[in-house]
């Protein structure tokens, strides 16, 4: 007498082992492709911009190819300058925040160093180096007018 039981989970996995293996292999290949292509993403995007924006703009100018090339280059160069400029302003804003809150940052760093259980001789050297950095070098950078300029630019930008 033979009974027809529905297949259990293990036998279903064994029956579809090639599908599971192929899916895992495809996922691993996609992961490695992503790891390889991610650093190249900015170049790929700029290549697409050159191919699909700059070239048609240059073609529109017809026989004035030099002017077309200049306009097409400006259509790419100007947004990049704004993006880089916004990044520089944000870096300066972060640096300004760092200088304004240097006491809490220094305390956080010192607490982290003490939690690492480093020998006392090294901890003392690190404490002195951090103290010298926060008391002499950072106030000198904070007195530069560039940070106030970046803050005013960020207020205009918003």
């Amino acid at each position: 007498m033979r009974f027809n039981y529905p297949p259990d989970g293990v036998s279903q996995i064994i029956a579809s082992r090639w599908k599971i293996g192929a899916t895992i292999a495809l996922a691993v290949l996609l992961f490695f492709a992503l790891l390889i292509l991610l650093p190249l993403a900015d170049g790929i995007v700029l290549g697409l911009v050159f191919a699909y924006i700059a070239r048609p703009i240059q073609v529109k100018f017809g026989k004035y190819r030099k002017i077309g090339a200049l306009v097409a280059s400006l259509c790419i160069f100007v947004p990049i300058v704004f993006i880089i400029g916004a990044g520089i302003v944000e870096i300066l804003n972060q640096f300004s925040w760092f200088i304004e809150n240097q006491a809490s940052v220094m305390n956080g760093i010192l607490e982290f160093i003490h939690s690492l259980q480093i020998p006392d001789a090294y901890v003392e050297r690190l404490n002195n180096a951090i103290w010298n950095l926060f008391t002499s070098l950072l106030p000198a950078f904070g007195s530069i007018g560039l940070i106030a300029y970046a803050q005013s630019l960020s207020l205009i930008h918003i």
Side-chain angles (χ1 to χ4, degrees), residues 55-73:
R55 186 74 175 165
I57 290 173
Q58 183 185 10
V59 170
K60 290 280 184 190
F61 281 87
K63 65 180 180 176
Y64 304 106
R65 296 189 63 83
K66 289 185 179 181
I67 294 173
L70 176 68
V71 171
S73 297

Side-chain angles (χ1 to χ4, degrees), residues 97-116:
W97 176 89
F98 186 77
I99 288 180
E100 289 173 1
N101 300 310
Q102 66 184 359
S104 62
V105 172
M106 183 174 68
N107 287 335
I109 291 172
L110 292 176
E111 286 177 15
F112 175 72
I113 288 172
H114 289 295
S115 71
L116 292 177

